């Protein structure tokens, strides 16, 4: 049996012989000749990386549904190297404003860029699949690149396989149940409660786990440090408010309070837990005492990043990985002015938080549009990025330039690692490695190449060890936005988005109770029970799926 490489050489020889015969007058005439089969029709095996068949130049448009994504392909050593190796160039498209509006506009037009990356939790994922706007990755792989099935994780493929038997999107930053068994406490969480180190120590490193301790710490910080470089201190920072809420005050806060997602196999309505309501009331008190800046209700990511770099927040309920560049700025100015993770809001029993670790759903999914300019090159490039080779290339960059094998380990050259730890923004622009291009990142695979964490990041990362849990069984349980339950759920979330800031800004606890009661009544009147019934069914299916993966 001919090996694939021998088969390719034989096919090439036959084509050359056929071409020679035609040009010398033998065989069919040019007008009668069948068109030549493109290289994309080459039959490959699961062991052959398909991208190697064709490395001619091609540019794909890749939409990233995050307005803050700053990187450009081709301006750094890593992306230049990947293009040089594979022939693939990327034109990133990033929304200028509201991501959901941009995504919905593209879907309504019926035309999408070649690749699309967005949060797996976005309703647009289902809209694209049900609108036949994206291609089944498994079918593309069967036709053009069986290597996809070797490069991907069967558990993740199974998790994302739809009812029609097809998989349309593949995740990044995903951890399966077996990953949790394998990596244990090495798995960390991004969810942190942060305080500015010098201010926190100056007010006596107080215990902020109770409402009383929390409020006193904010008061003391504001009293001792009313200004930061001539600008008002912001006692508490949160993720940005949007039309459906604020993630710091939902999953983050609930996880810090160790509020269960389920009880005895039944989904738990987390927002009704007494400890959660108590902490929302604590934040209302904070506002009443002048401890919630108006900035936190209006600022978006760029404004927040600027203020983090200025060290204007005392405390933050925020994800640590999203402020690496700003931490470096603070560390360079004064190592004591950085943010550190401490024990934050806790439940009445002061239980340890149950923080969200990477789930099997990951963070984002990447899909291939039906309008993709070259199906074969697209699936082959996706397989390459997912594979160990692609992970090494996009994480470490170019051998001899950004990394080498040192003491038997593939790792960054010392000067490259130094820049990564001291100036993340410059590192990204010059070298583009270490998940600068995170669309297909596999954190579990790249951990072997990562330099050990150093300050000002190590303390924050280490604080989460042993607290991270997988909540995979609660992913992908929300109804499709076009279904009856999905429409109800969307209306409920919009009502919540209106109610949440009002609760914090309420002038009294009585007003808080009225807003809270009105929201719950509105939620019930919209038919929220149907949503919970749908979610319960999906949750039970997920539990069964995950049990299969562990066998």
């Amino acid at each position: 049996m001919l090996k694939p490489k021998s088969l390719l050489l034989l096919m090439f020889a036959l084509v050359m012989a056929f071409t020679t015969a035609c040009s010398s007058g033998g065989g069919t005439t040019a007008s009668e000749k069948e068109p030549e089969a493109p290289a994309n029709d080459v039959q490959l095996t699961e062991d052959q990386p398909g991208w190697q068949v064709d490395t001619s130049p091609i540019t794909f448009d890749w939409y990233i549904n995050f307005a803050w994504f700053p990187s450009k392909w081709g301006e750094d050593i890593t992306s230049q190297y990947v293009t040089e190796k594979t022939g693939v160039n990327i034109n990133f498209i990033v929304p200028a404003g509201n991501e959901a509006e941009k995504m919905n506009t593209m879907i309504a037009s019926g035309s999408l860029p070649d690749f699309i990356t967005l949060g797996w939790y976005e309703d647009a994922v289902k809209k694209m699949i049900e609108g036949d706007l994206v291609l089944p990755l498994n079918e593309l792989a069967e036709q053009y690149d069986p290597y996809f099935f070797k490069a991907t994780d069967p558990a993740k493929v199974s998790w994302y396989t739809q009812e029609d038997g097809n998989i349309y999107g593949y995740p990044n930053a995903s951890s399966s149940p077996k990953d949790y068994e394998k990596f244990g406490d090495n798995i960390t969480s991004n969810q942190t409660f942060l305080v500015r180190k010098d201010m926190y120590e100056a007010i006596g490193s107080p215990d902020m786990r109770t409402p009383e301790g929390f409020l006193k710490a904010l008061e003391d910080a504001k009293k001792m440090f009313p200004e930061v470089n001539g600008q008002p201190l912001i006692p508490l920072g949160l993720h940005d408010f949007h039309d459906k809420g604020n993630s710091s005050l939902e999953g983050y806060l609930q996880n810090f309070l160790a509020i269960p997602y389920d009880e005895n196999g039944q989904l738990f309505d987390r927002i009704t837990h007494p400890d959660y309501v108590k902490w929302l009331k604590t934040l209302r008190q904070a506002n009443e005492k002048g401890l919630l800046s108006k900035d936190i209700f209006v600022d978006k990511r760029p404004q927040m990043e600027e203020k983090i770099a200025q060290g204007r927040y005392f405390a933050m309920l925020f994800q640590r990985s999203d402020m690496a560049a700003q931490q470096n700025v603070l560390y360079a100015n004064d190592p004591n002015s950085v943010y550190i993770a401490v024990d934050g809001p806790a439940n009445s029993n002061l239980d340890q938080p149950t923080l969200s670790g990477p789930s099997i759903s990951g963070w984002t999914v990447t899909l291939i549009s039906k309008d993709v300019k070259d199906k074969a090159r697209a699936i082959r490039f996706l397989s390459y990025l997912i594979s160990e080779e692609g992970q090494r290339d996009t994480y470490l960059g170019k051998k001899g330039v950004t990394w080498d094998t040192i003491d038997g380990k593939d790792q960054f050259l010392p000067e490259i690692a130094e820049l990564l730890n001291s100036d993340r923004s410059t590192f990204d622009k010059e070298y583009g490695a270490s998940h600068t291009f995170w669309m297909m990142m596999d954190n579990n695979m790249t951990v072997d190449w990562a330099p050990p964490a150093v300050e000002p990041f190590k303390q924050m990362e280490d604080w989460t060890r042993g607290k991270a849990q997988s909540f995979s069984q609660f992913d992908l349980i929300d109804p499709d936005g076009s279904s009856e339950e999905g429409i109800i759920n969307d209306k409920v979330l919009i009502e919540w988005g209106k109610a949440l800031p009002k609760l914090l800004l309420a002038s009294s606890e009585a007003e808080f109770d009225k807003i809270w009661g009105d929201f719950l009544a509105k939620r019930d009147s919209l038919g929220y029970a149907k949503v919970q019934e749908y979610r319960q069914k999906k949750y039970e299916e997920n539990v069964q799926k995950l049990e299969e993966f562990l066998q």
Side-chain angles (χ1 to χ4, degrees):
M1 186 177 186
L2 285 174
K3 291 183 178 178
K5 187 174 180 183
S6 305
L7 183 60
L8 280 171
L9 290 172
L10 176 60
M11 288 176 65
F12 180 71
L14 289 171
V15 169
M16 289 302 292
F18 179 70
T19 305
T20 304
C22 290
S23 63
S24 62
T28 58
T29 64
S31 60
E32 298 169 329
K33 190 170 66 174
E34 291 288 331
E36 288 184 338
N40 288 340
D41 283 350
V42 171
Q43 294 300 306
L44 296 165
T45 71
E46 201 167 290
D47 294 318
Q48 282 179 284
W51 67 266
Q52 296 174 353
V53 170
D54 184 357
T55 57
S56 60
I58 186 172
T59 297
F60 286 115
D61 292 326
W62 195 317
Y63 176 75
I64 308 288
N65 197 43
F66 296 91
W68 51 261
F69 180 70
S71 303
K72 307 288 184 188
W73 188 271
E75 295 182 354
D76 59 88
I77 285 172
T78 296
S79 60
Q80 289 168 2
Y81 170 59
V82 171
T83 295
E84 172 192 331
K85 180 174 183 174
T86 65
V88 176
N89 184 42
I90 301 295
N91 171 43
F92 284 123
I93 300 169
V94 179
N98 186 288
E99 290 97 339
E101 286 180 9
K102 175 69 173 174
M103 197 73 244
N104 287 333
T105 300
M106 290 196 303
I107 290 172
S109 75
S111 179
L112 297 170
D114 302 302
F115 290 89
I116 307 99
T117 294
L118 71 169
W120 61 260
Y121 43 84
E122 299 282 355
D123 202 41
V125 176
K126 292 173 181 174
K127 288 180 181 176
M128 287 187 287
I129 294 171
E130 293 178 356
D132 294 325
L133 297 176
V134 288
L135 298 171
L137 301 182
N138 52 299
E139 291 184 2
L140 290 175
E142 286 162 4
Q143 188 169 358
Y144 302 111
D145 189 31
Y147 182 67
F148 173 85
F149 297 109
K150 183 174 184 179
T152 52
D153 182 329
K156 294 167 191 175
V157 170
S158 174
W159 182 254
Y160 273 104
T161 295
Q162 305 293 313
E163 290 179 4
D164 64 2
N166 294 321
I167 174 174
Y168 295 88
Y170 195 79
N172 75 348
S174 165
S175 287
S176 69
K178 285 192 184 297
D179 289 331
Y180 271 82
E181 286 185 346
K182 182 177 179 182
F183 297 103
D185 281 356
N186 285 327
I187 291 181
T188 57
S189 175
N190 272 336
Q191 297 183 334
T192 44
F193 179 69
L194 306 169
V195 290
R196 197 172 132 165
K197 183 174 185 291
D198 51 0
M199 294 181 181
Y200 182 67
E201 291 174 350
I203 62 171
S205 304
D207 184 345
M208 298 181 70
R209 292 178 298 167
T210 65
E212 298 75 24
F214 179 86
L215 289 172
K216 186 173 188 307
L218 296 188
E219 281 186 288
D220 289 349
K222 186 179 180 183
K223 189 174 181 180
M224 190 175 285
F225 304 97
E227 290 188 342
V228 178
N229 296 324
Q231 296 178 303
L233 177 79
I234 303 171
L236 179 65
L238 306 167
H239 283 88
D240 57 305
F241 282 83
H242 52 84
D243 62 350
K244 294 181 180 177
N246 182 308
S247 56
S248 290
L249 301 179
E250 294 151 8
Y252 272 60
L253 180 55
Q254 290 159 4
N255 288 351
F256 265 85
L257 304 180
I259 295 172
Y261 280 84
D262 66 335
E263 283 187 338
N264 302 318
Q266 292 293 310
L267 287 179
F268 184 74
D269 189 4
R270 299 181 90 201
I271 73 162
T272 60
H273 193 284
D275 280 329
Y276 180 62
V277 178
K278 181 172 76 174
W279 272 95
L280 288 185
K281 288 186 173 184
T282 301
L283 292 173
R284 188 210 68 78
Q285 282 182 272
N287 183 64
E288 192 174 42
K289 291 172 178 282
L291 301 172
L292 294 190
S293 166
K294 290 182 174 62
D295 297 31
I296 67 173
F297 293 99
V298 295
D299 281 353
K300 297 301 178 188
R301 181 73 170 258
Q303 292 79 33
M304 293 171 63
E305 289 179 350
E306 183 181 349
K307 288 168 183 175
I308 295 170
Q310 294 167 346
R312 286 186 60 194
Y313 298 101
F314 163 60
M316 299 183 74
L317 195 54
F318 202 71
Q319 51 186 340
R320 60 183 176 81
S321 62
D322 277 19
M323 52 185 293
Q326 293 76 35
Q327 274 278 80
N328 269 329
V329 171
L330 293 167
Y331 193 69
N333 291 335
D334 177 3
N336 282 318
S337 72
V338 299
Y339 288 92
I340 58 170
V342 298
D343 293 338
N347 63 26
S348 301
N349 297 325
L350 301 182
D351 293 322
Q352 178 172 279
T354 52
L355 305 179
S356 182
S359 72
I360 195 167
S361 296
W363 168 32
T364 68
V365 287
T366 294
L367 308 93
I368 295 176
S369 163
K370 69 173 177 59
D371 302 312
V372 67
K373 58 178 63 77
D374 189 320
K375 295 177 182 178
R377 295 292 296 279
I379 187 64
R380 290 168 183 171
F381 187 60
L382 191 69
S383 298
Y384 157 74
L385 292 176
I386 294 168
S387 72
E388 184 174 343
E389 180 180 14
Q391 291 291 315
R392 180 183 283 104
D393 290 348
T394 52
Y395 186 83
L396 288 173
K398 188 173 185 178
K399 189 171 186 179
V401 179
T402 54
W403 71 278
D404 216 326
T405 305
I406 305 169
D407 298 329
K409 177 184 174 179
D410 293 348
Q411 56 185 294
F412 289 120
L413 297 172
E415 63 272 23
I416 306 299
E418 169 62 27
L419 184 64
L420 170 63
N421 289 325
S422 62
D423 190 344
R424 178 75 210 211
S425 295
T426 300
F427 173 91
D428 287 351
K429 288 171 186 171
E430 290 187 11
Y431 298 112
S434 185
H435 301 317
T436 298
F437 302 102
W438 42 257
M439 289 72 70
M440 304 314 302
M441 69 177 177
D442 185 332
N443 310 69
N444 295 322
M445 195 181 294
T446 59
V447 71
D448 288 339
W449 308 315
V454 297
E455 299 306 351
F457 313 108
K458 185 177 187 299
Q459 187 275 341
M460 294 193 294
E461 180 181 303
D462 286 347
W463 183 86
T464 71
R465 293 185 190 280
K467 301 180 180 79
Q469 297 188 17
S470 172
F471 295 121
S472 294
Q473 63 270 40
F474 306 104
D475 290 348
L476 301 175
I477 64 174
D478 284 334
D480 168 27
S482 61
S483 67
E484 181 190 3
E485 296 90 351
I487 292 167
I488 294 169
N489 194 43
D490 196 57
K491 288 177 179 176
V492 168
L493 288 173
I494 288 171
E495 289 298 323
W496 172 247
K498 294 174 186 173
L500 183 57
K502 289 179 182 175
L503 290 166
L504 271 54
L505 296 169
S507 59
S508 65
E509 186 165 328
E511 186 184 347
F512 178 104
D513 289 339
K514 183 178 188 314
I515 296 166
W516 184 250
D518 288 348
F519 166 71
L520 294 180
K522 180 73 172 177
R523 189 178 71 157
D524 290 344
S525 70
L526 286 169
Y528 189 63
K530 289 184 178 178
V531 177
Q532 286 295 75
E533 188 179 336
Y534 176 94
R535 296 173 84 239
Q536 177 68 30
K537 179 173 175 289
K538 287 292 181 184
Y539 155 68
E540 290 170 6
E541 290 172 4
N542 283 351
V543 170
Q544 193 172 349
K545 257 189 184 181
L546 290 166
E547 284 174 354
E548 291 170 8
F549 297 155
L550 285 168
Q551 289 172 4

